Amino acid sequence: MKRFHRVILKNLPRLTLYLPRIKRMTLRPMRYTRSQRHEMAMRIVHAVARSGKIEVEAFGQENIPLDGGCLICANHQDKFDPLAIWLTHKQPASVVIDDAACHRPVIRDFVRIVNAVRLQKDNLKSMYRMTHEITERLRAGERFILFPEGRYEERYQKFRLLYPALKGVFPKLR
């Protein structure tokens, strides 16, 4: 967690440079191409990786198709893992992200610049629309990164309170 906060503090001056550019790109999306928006997003991701001293080694990239759309389902355990997966992609890729996470200041703008699909986990109609939208965009040749595990800490804590006898069975989440 210290590393995460250190990266945020190191990148505060960069935010003053990048946020106006990102705002301009999100307000006028038709003026900028997809590759220009992807390049701006990659600048931000590279800056975060450098300031966090993160080195990424990618294995199995030969299994990702070069042409056409693809859906990459990845599991992550750390806050930097989505950025590391993003760093391995040379071609523009969008993400499927939980709508609750999209309302944070920097993430909100980043989601707009990469044209991400927002998922409302508690709304079945929204999930159906999101699935249909992703299917159409995949057919059009877009790439998506999906993190299917979601966030289960809250549900885990409720389960733990309901069944105190199972207290020692599950490890404590951090």
Side-chain angles (χ1 to χ4, degrees):
M1 198 61 147
K2 291 179 189 177
R3 181 191 213 182
F4 181 69
H5 293 293
R6 185 178 65 222
V7 168
I8 290 173
L9 289 174
K10 279 186 174 181
N11 287 306
L12 280 178
R14 283 192 185 107
L15 280 177
T16 59
L17 295 173
Y18 287 134
L19 277 179
R21 293 180 193 172
I22 292 172
K23 291 281 188 191
R24 220 178 1 234
M25 287 182 155
T26 57
L27 290 174
R28 300 179 194 96
M30 299 310 246
R31 184 179 283 185
Y32 300 96
T33 65
R34 187 173 175 211
S35 61
Q36 288 173 325
R37 292 189 311 243
H38 176 74
E39 183 182 325
M40 175 56 84
M42 289 301 286
R43 282 186 202 163
I44 296 167
V45 171
H46 279 290
V48 169
R50 274 194 312 269
S51 64
K53 298 179 182 169
I54 300 170
E55 294 180 19
V56 179
E57 291 183 33
F59 300 99
Q61 284 188 321
E62 64 274 1
N63 298 322
I64 299 175
L66 297 175
D67 296 330
C70 70
L71 179 66
I72 298 166
C73 297
N75 189 5
H76 70 95
Q77 300 173 357
D78 191 10
K79 294 185 186 312
F80 292 112
D81 290 348
L83 298 178
I85 292 169
W86 187 273
L87 278 172
T88 61
H89 292 280
K90 305 300 179 219
Q91 297 176 343
S94 189
V95 294
V96 179
I97 189 167
D98 185 15
D99 188 55
C102 292
H103 302 292
R104 297 179 187 133
V106 178
I107 295 174
R108 174 182 50 227
D109 298 322
F110 191 80
V111 163
R112 288 180 187 153
I113 201 171
V114 298
N115 200 16
V117 175
R118 298 176 181 195
L119 171 66
Q120 293 177 352
K121 292 182 181 179
D122 57 345
N123 187 346
L124 289 175
K125 287 183 181 181
S126 169
M127 292 174 78
Y128 175 76
R129 275 188 249 122
M130 182 268 321
T131 306
H132 183 69
E133 179 183 346
I134 289 176
T135 304
E136 293 301 317
R137 288 172 64 180
L138 282 170
R139 287 184 184 145
E142 289 190 46
R143 296 169 172 264
F144 283 95
I145 302 171
L146 171 70
F147 299 101
E149 78 277 353
R151 188 171 183 189
Y152 297 109
E153 290 95 313
E154 295 168 11
R155 184 170 24 161
Y156 169 78
Q157 293 298 333
K158 288 179 187 175
F159 180 77
R160 195 168 173 184
L161 291 173
L162 289 174
Y163 300 100
L166 298 175
K167 189 174 184 180
V169 175
F170 300 105
K172 186 176 179 183
L173 290 176
R174 295 171 204 200

